[in-house]
Amino acid sequence: MPLIRIKKSWEIPETKITPETTYLNRRRFMKSLIGVGLSATALSTLTSCGRNSKTSLTSEAVTLPMTGKFTINPNFSEVDRPITDEALATKYNNFYEFGGNKSIWQAAQALPTENWKVEVKGLVKNPRIYDIDELQKKFPLEERIYRFRCVEAWAMVIPWLGFPMKLLMADVEPTSKAKYVRFTSFYDAEITKGPGFWANGYPWPYTEGLRIDEMANELAFFAVGMYGKSLPKQNGAPLRQVIPWKYGFKGAKSIVKIEFIESRPATFWNTLVPNEYAFEANVNPNVPHPRWSQATEKVLSEGASWSWEKIPTLPYNGYGEYVASLYS
């Protein structure tokens, strides 16, 4: 009897997947934009937490070294749309510690990543302080191609490098009292100055949180790289969360502390604007943001021109078969 394989919701034919050699090479297609005068920048009209944002894209991605050995996870080796160009994914970013618009990549280079430590504490049997190099050696690195969905209703597809969060959980062994996890990002008032005078009164450092069963889910991922290279500073180097079924603000960048706790933690955006940034923050086309619909999203396309294709938003960003049971 022949074996019938039913394709997953995110899969497309292999012939339509961007070749590995394509996204591992730095792009030069942005040079073609020089003559358009940025008239195509619908990007700049998108809001970043309520304010207009503008982007400053250059012809190439940030130059970074290749990572060490990694495997390609066959379960997450393709999605239903092209991989976002590396230059765009590394130059169109939210990182509020370095500013309130999308052009923070230059300011983010001030982030000091040398001798990076990550403290894991709280309700665990084996509290640890990991060196970032130790993390990358202790947990085998793999590549996963995930959809990325921002709460601002734009989307990308990114090949992340990292390891499942559940591996770190197994190493530190949370106790039965641990119900939530809090992630804390790097903060130094002299370096991470925030978005100008808007930074005053913000609940720094940036924190995010998950339920412990969400962290243990197969999809939950710690990224240390992207596009086969080390993680750029503006993308959250040297360690960031990637939670593909949730809006992007749930992914804390430049993590320095992970705490296993009993009660739901206060988090950055949920503390500031709880009606706009829910703690759960699962991608849901049926729950609009107070200022825009989430029923559709604009996808930053791969290729020689950057345009935003508007498509329907998928519940849980298309990963419902992995996570829907968590919320039943």
Side-chain angles (χ1 to χ4, degrees):
M1 177 181 294
L3 178 63
I4 300 175
R5 179 177 181 270
I6 300 175
K7 294 181 75 65
K8 305 294 185 183
S9 61
W10 61 80
E11 293 184 341
I12 60 173
E14 185 175 345
T15 55
K16 294 185 179 181
I17 298 298
T18 304
E20 180 180 2
T21 53
T22 300
Y23 75 73
L24 288 180
N25 291 324
R26 298 186 306 182
R27 311 287 188 168
R28 299 182 181 275
F29 77 91
M30 293 302 294
K31 290 180 179 178
S32 65
L33 297 181
I34 294 175
V36 305
L38 295 185
S39 62
T41 46
L43 306 177
S44 64
T45 65
L46 290 175
T47 52
S48 176
C49 303
R51 301 191 297 111
N52 288 338
S53 59
K54 295 182 180 180
T55 183
S56 176
L57 300 173
T58 61
S59 61
E60 295 182 347
V62 176
T63 302
L64 288 167
M66 303 297 288
T67 62
K69 294 181 179 179
F70 62 88
T71 61
I72 297 175
N73 188 316
N75 295 322
F76 307 107
S77 61
E78 56 188 31
V79 295
D80 60 349
R81 60 195 70 160
I83 290 171
T84 303
D85 193 276
E86 182 182 354
L88 299 182
T90 57
K91 295 293 178 65
Y92 188 84
N93 313 98
N94 287 327
F95 201 162
Y96 235 56
E97 288 90 326
F98 293 100
N101 58 40
K102 298 296 187 295
S103 302
I104 52 78
W105 71 270
Q106 289 175 308
Q109 303 315 304
L111 178 72
T113 56
E114 298 79 13
N115 301 314
W116 194 274
K117 309 291 184 184
V118 180
E119 182 181 13
V120 184
K121 59 187 292 187
L123 301 174
V124 295
K125 296 178 182 178
N126 308 311
R128 296 284 302 273
I129 297 179
Y130 293 100
D131 178 87
I132 191 63
D133 293 330
E134 177 189 2
L135 276 175
Q136 296 189 46
K137 293 175 182 177
K138 186 176 186 65
F139 305 120
L141 299 184
E142 60 180 72
E143 179 184 78
R144 295 188 179 194
I145 298 174
Y146 277 161
R147 296 190 188 96
F148 179 87
R149 175 59 153 82
C150 182
V151 72
E152 298 165 1
W154 54 267
M156 295 184 179
V157 174
I158 297 177
W160 300 103
L161 293 175
F163 56 92
M165 289 187 179
K166 63 182 181 180
L167 296 184
L168 183 142
M169 294 178 69
D171 195 44
V172 299
E173 296 187 63
T175 70
S176 60
K177 291 184 177 181
K179 306 300 181 185
Y180 291 89
V181 188
R182 175 169 50 215
F183 304 86
T184 302
S185 297
F186 173 87
Y187 177 71
D188 181 327
E190 297 300 316
I191 299 173
T192 48
K193 298 181 180 181
F197 65 86
W198 280 283
N200 294 332
Y202 279 10
W204 304 113
Y206 194 100
T207 55
E208 255 308 331
L210 294 174
R211 293 182 348 214
I212 197 166
D213 58 343
E214 293 177 319
M215 186 180 182
N217 186 270
E218 171 63 24
L219 293 180
F221 202 62
F222 283 123
V224 298
M226 57 195 296
Y227 296 89
K229 303 175 184 178
S230 298
L231 198 61
K233 293 183 178 182
Q234 65 270 24
N235 292 93
L239 183 73
R240 67 165 292 164
Q241 292 174 265
V242 179
I243 316 294
W245 72 95
K246 294 179 179 288
Y247 294 119
F249 73 87
K250 290 295 294 184
K253 297 180 177 181
S254 305
I255 296 170
V256 295
K257 188 187 302 180
I258 301 168
E259 300 170 86
F260 289 81
I261 55 182
E262 191 169 3
S263 300
R264 196 181 90 172
T267 57
F268 187 87
W269 284 114
N270 183 248
T271 297
L272 285 171
V273 199
N275 67 313
E276 296 189 8
Y277 304 96
F279 178 85
E280 186 178 89
N282 294 325
V283 177
N284 190 339
N286 299 318
V287 178
H289 186 281
R291 288 178 283 129
W292 54 79
S293 170
Q294 297 288 18
T296 60
E297 60 195 36
K298 293 181 178 180
V299 179
L300 182 55
S301 300
E302 187 274 343
S305 64
W306 50 295
S307 61
W308 294 80
E309 177 189 6
K310 200 171 185 179
I311 63 173
T313 297
L314 298 174
Y316 301 110
N317 205 21
Y319 297 103
E321 67 180 281
Y322 284 93
V323 300
S325 62
L326 294 175
Y327 311 102
S328 60

